[in-house]
């Protein structure tokens, strides 16, 4: 079992920055691929960014060049640095841990970007 707790969400102005954190508890954290997803009402959850156990990363097209995902396995923590925020980045952001057919989700943290 892996428990995930997100933090760092809040209100930001357009063009501003926020840093999300996801603290994980449980075993074998380093063997999981980790990701951030986001969701707005009435829409499907979409992938924002992910980082594999080996450190490879990829990003959704809408955030490339603005967001950076990173992991600190020593601290069992996943991060998402969000720069140049836009109002369309407003969503609930979820942390995800994935290994084989097993997925774990955090409870989500709200990010609101004002224009």
């Amino acid at each position: 079992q892996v428990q995930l707790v997100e933090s760092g969400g809040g209100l930001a102005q357009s063009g501003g920055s926020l840093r999300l954190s996801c603290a994980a508890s449980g075993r074998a954290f380093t063997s999981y691929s980790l990701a951030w997803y986001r969701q707005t009402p009435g829409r499907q959850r979409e992938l924002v960014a992910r980082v594999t156990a080996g450190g490879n990363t990829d990003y959704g097209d809408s955030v490339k060049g603005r967001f950076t995902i990173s992991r600190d396995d020593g601290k069992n923590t996943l991060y998402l640095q969000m720069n140049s925020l836009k109002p369309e980045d407003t969503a609930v952001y979820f942390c995800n841990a994935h290994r084989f057919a097993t997925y774990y989700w955090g409870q989500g943290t709200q990010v609101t970007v004002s224009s």
Side-chain angles (χ1 to χ4, degrees):
Q1 282 280 3
V2 174
Q3 292 79 43
L4 304 170
V5 179
E6 301 97 335
S7 61
L11 179 64
Q13 290 189 336
S14 183
S17 298
L18 284 174
R19 188 194 197 200
L20 304 183
S21 299
C22 174
S25 59
R27 299 166 62 179
F29 177 80
T30 58
S31 67
Y32 285 82
S33 290
L34 306 172
W36 290 98
Y37 286 76
R38 66 187 181 188
Q39 189 169 24
T40 54
R43 301 187 66 178
Q44 285 191 327
R45 198 168 291 188
E46 67 168 341
L47 176 69
V48 176
R50 60 186 163 203
V51 55
T52 67
N56 295 316
T57 60
D58 67 282
Y59 297 87
D61 288 342
S62 62
V63 306
K64 283 180 181 176
R66 300 188 297 123
F67 291 11
T68 303
I69 189 171
S70 61
R71 62 189 295 166
D72 185 337
D73 289 343
K75 295 181 178 180
N76 276 18
T77 303
L78 174 70
Y79 302 100
L80 184 69
Q81 179 65 44
M82 305 187 293
N83 297 329
S84 303
L85 284 163
K86 304 176 181 180
E88 50 264 44
D89 294 320
T90 296
V92 178
Y93 284 70
F94 296 90
C95 176
N96 168 272
H98 165 220
R99 184 176 68 173
F100 302 120
T102 302
Y103 292 81
Y104 297 100
W105 294 94
Q107 82 289 349
T109 185
Q110 176 70 45
V111 171
T112 302
V113 183
S114 62
S115 57

